């Protein structure tokens, strides 16, 4: 896909995003400068997907810092914190939002003895690094994931954990995009993903743009395609992975995991370490976003499809229990149960690599 999901336009002091609410019918690039419009863009899923939200938040906080008019660190930091708290309130589940904002705040604090202008430059570099790292991380996830499947396999995915959800490649769709580059022919089944249709509007769009054999199914058809023997592996993304391996992702993921277990199909969660939250012990501890009723009763329909006044429950996420997950694909390799041990080992590996980079 030739469009960038999320970018910094420093000259215009803007966060540039591809408006995902308009896809696939319109390709519209937005250049956002106001804090409120950036917040709205995250809340309304104009930019969405855990890693892309993280990159957008890092850029947004840099832009907020750039606009702060003071030379005194204390005042600068207070205003930066205000902007950080504001952006952190846009969505509660994807941990990448908080991960990116915390990372930016740490940079500001680490350089507190320097002039404010220099701190702003450090923040700009960090925001750019968050994006560049995401591209590298997703590519690595793609390489590790590709080793788990073979040419001709049928793969089922849920929601959109592709390029549109990251800076490039995606997480769950990265093995498919990389495989396509290398001449593999996968048959991908994408759940439409009610109620916001990320599978129908976004995964189908990006996979088709990449020339991947893609079949769209309604969410309630996953069991049928699995029963038909058409699915050799399930790949999904993740919004927050708890320390015990419970994987919170788009609503419906838990059901897909249960089906995969029943049909004995490997179920893989693709999660960069920025999505792994060792401070959250288990899936039950992850805050689940609830969204407005009209997404279920009216959105996408020509006219309302439910009686006025009906009660609606609209959780945006659920979690696949760690016992249902065959493996978790990170940028440092695939980890297997017991996850409470293997996830900690991945962070030890990450710390080693970071130390190597620092030494070099
Ligand atoms: O509500 P969304 O569209 O932001 O939800 C996105 C997902 O659930 C993705 O699967 C997840 O963020 C992983 S993206 C690589």
């Amino acid at each position: 896909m030739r469009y960038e999901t999320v970018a910094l336009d420093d000259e215009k002091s803007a966060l540039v995003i591809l408006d995902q609410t308009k896809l696939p019918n319109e390709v519209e690039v937005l250049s956002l400068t106001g804090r409120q419009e950036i917040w709205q863009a995250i809340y309304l899923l104009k930019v969405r997907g855990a890693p892309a939200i993280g990159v957008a938040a890092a850029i947004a906080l840099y832009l907020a810092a750039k606009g702060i008019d003071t030379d005194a660190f204390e005042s600068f930091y207070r205003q930066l914190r205000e902007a950080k708290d504001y952006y952190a309130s846009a969505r509660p589940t994807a941990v990448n939002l908080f991960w990116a904002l915390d990372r930016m705040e740490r940079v500001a604090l680490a350089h507190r003895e320097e002039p404010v202008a220099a701190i702003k430059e450090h923040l700009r570099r960090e925001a750019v690094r968050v994006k560049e790292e995401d591209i590298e991380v997703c590519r690595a996830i793609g390489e590790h994931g590709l080793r788990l499947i073979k040419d001709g396999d049928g793969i089922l995915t849920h929601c959109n954990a592709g390029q549109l959800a990251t800076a490039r490649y995606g997480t769950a769709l990265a093995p498919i995009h990389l495989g396509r580059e290398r001449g593999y022919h996968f048959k991908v089944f994408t759940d439409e993903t009610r109620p916001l249709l990320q599978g129908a509007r976004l995964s189908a769009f990006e996979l088709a743009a990449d020339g991947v054999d893609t079949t769209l199914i309604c969410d309630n058809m996953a069991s049928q395609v699995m029963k038909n023997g058409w699915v050799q592996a399930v790949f999904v993304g993740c919004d927050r992975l708890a320390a015990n391996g419970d994987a919170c992702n788009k609503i419906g993921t838990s059901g897909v995991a249960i089906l995969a277990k029943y049909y004995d199909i490997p179920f893989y969660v693709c999660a960069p370490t920025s999505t792994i939250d060792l401070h959250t012990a288990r899936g039950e501890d992850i805050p689940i976003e609830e969204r407005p009723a009209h997404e279920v009763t009216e959105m996408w329909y020509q006219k309302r499809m439910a009686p006025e006044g009906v009660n609606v429950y609209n959780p945006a996420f659920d979690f696949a229990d760690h016992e249902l997950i065959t493996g978790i694909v990170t940028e440092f390799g695939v980890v297997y149960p017991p996850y409470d041990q293997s996830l900690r080992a991945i962070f030890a590996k990450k710390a080693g690599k970071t130390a190597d980079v620092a030494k070099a």
Side-chain angles (χ1 to χ4, degrees):
M1 246 193 20
R2 62 198 165 88
Y3 308 105
E4 279 213 282
T5 308
V6 52
L8 165 67
D9 182 342
D10 205 17
E11 225 165 88
K12 295 200 178 112
S13 294
L15 168 70
V16 179
I17 57 163
L18 183 58
D19 184 348
Q20 300 196 33
T21 59
K22 298 273 172 65
L23 289 173
N25 298 321
E26 282 171 59
V27 176
E28 191 176 321
V29 175
L30 302 176
S31 185
L32 309 174
T33 50
R35 279 192 202 180
Q36 206 178 347
E37 60 177 353
I38 292 176
W39 188 97
Q40 286 278 343
I42 297 172
Y43 175 71
L44 294 173
L45 278 63
K46 292 180 185 206
V47 57
R48 45 136 314 268
I53 293 172
V55 175
I59 293 174
L61 199 58
Y62 158 62
L63 292 173
K66 193 179 173 186
I68 297 172
D69 187 16
T70 177
D71 292 330
F73 178 79
E74 290 312 325
S75 166
F76 170 77
Y77 180 59
R78 185 182 42 75
Q79 293 180 65
L80 189 75
R81 279 297 310 242
E82 274 167 23
K84 180 187 173 213
D85 292 346
Y86 179 59
Y87 289 131
S89 68
R91 295 190 74 186
T93 304
V95 75
N96 299 61
L97 174 63
F98 313 102
W99 168 86
L101 293 171
D102 287 346
R103 184 169 158 168
M104 295 292 283
E105 183 185 358
R106 279 198 302 273
V107 166
L109 287 172
H111 296 279
R112 60 186 306 157
E113 304 304 336
E114 296 178 30
V116 167
I119 299 175
K120 290 180 182 177
E121 177 54 17
H122 286 297
L123 289 171
R124 186 192 65 77
R125 287 195 204 149
E126 191 69 5
V128 170
R129 224 173 351 246
V130 167
K131 178 175 169 179
E132 283 169 358
E133 274 179 26
D134 187 54
I135 297 172
E136 285 165 28
V137 160
C138 287
R139 196 173 167 93
I141 287 176
E143 295 287 358
H144 296 303
L146 191 54
R147 289 190 201 110
L148 302 169
I149 43 183
K150 57 180 193 322
D151 192 21
D153 275 354
I155 294 159
L156 187 134
T157 191
H158 190 74
C159 193
N160 172 266
Q163 159 144 357
L164 288 165
T166 63
R168 200 173 304 156
Y169 301 111
T171 57
L173 298 189
I176 296 162
H177 287 307
L178 286 190
R180 168 80 191 144
E181 261 175 41
R182 292 170 197 174
Y184 289 63
H185 296 92
F186 298 122
K187 296 181 185 67
V188 179
F189 293 90
T190 173
D191 288 348
E192 66 176 351
T193 317
R194 285 274 296 150
L196 293 184
L197 306 182
Q198 289 93 332
R201 295 185 304 105
L202 307 177
S203 292
F205 171 79
E206 100 168 50
L207 289 167
D210 198 23
V212 176
D213 178 340
T214 308
T215 303
L216 174 64
I217 57 171
C218 298
D219 298 332
N220 54 4
M221 297 169 190
S223 171
Q224 185 64 18
V225 296
M226 289 182 180
K227 192 177 211 163
N228 289 348
W230 296 345
V231 179
Q232 279 65 56
V234 175
F235 277 85
V236 295
C238 188
D239 282 83
R240 192 187 292 229
L241 199 105
N244 69 346
D246 288 348
C248 184
N249 189 48
K250 182 51 51 191
I251 189 74
T253 300
S254 150
V256 175
I258 292 165
L259 288 175
K261 183 83 168 179
Y262 181 81
Y263 290 110
D264 205 16
I265 296 168
F267 180 90
Y268 295 110
V269 172
C270 297
T273 47
S274 55
T275 299
I276 303 173
D277 180 6
L278 294 184
H279 302 294
T280 297
R282 4 168 255 156
E284 286 86 350
D285 301 329
I286 298 173
I288 299 287
E289 177 180 17
E290 282 192 39
R291 296 192 59 91
H294 73 89
E295 291 180 353
V296 177
T297 56
E298 283 162 73
M299 218 165 165
W300 320 114
Y301 297 124
Q302 270 188 327
K303 57 177 193 229
R304 192 182 162 90
M305 277 295 148
E308 289 289 351
V310 68
N311 292 328
V312 172
Y313 173 50
N314 184 17
F317 299 94
D318 61 19
F319 71 88
D321 193 285
H322 61 279
E323 287 182 358
L324 302 171
I325 301 171
T326 310
I328 297 169
V329 188
T330 76
E331 70 269 33
F332 295 105
V334 186
V335 300
Y336 296 96
Y339 293 117
D340 50 356
Q341 291 167 30
S342 56
L343 288 174
R344 286 185 191 278
I346 276 291
F347 275 91
K349 197 166 171 182
K350 182 175 180 172
K353 287 243 162 119
T354 314
D356 287 349
V357 172
K359 265 187 251 152

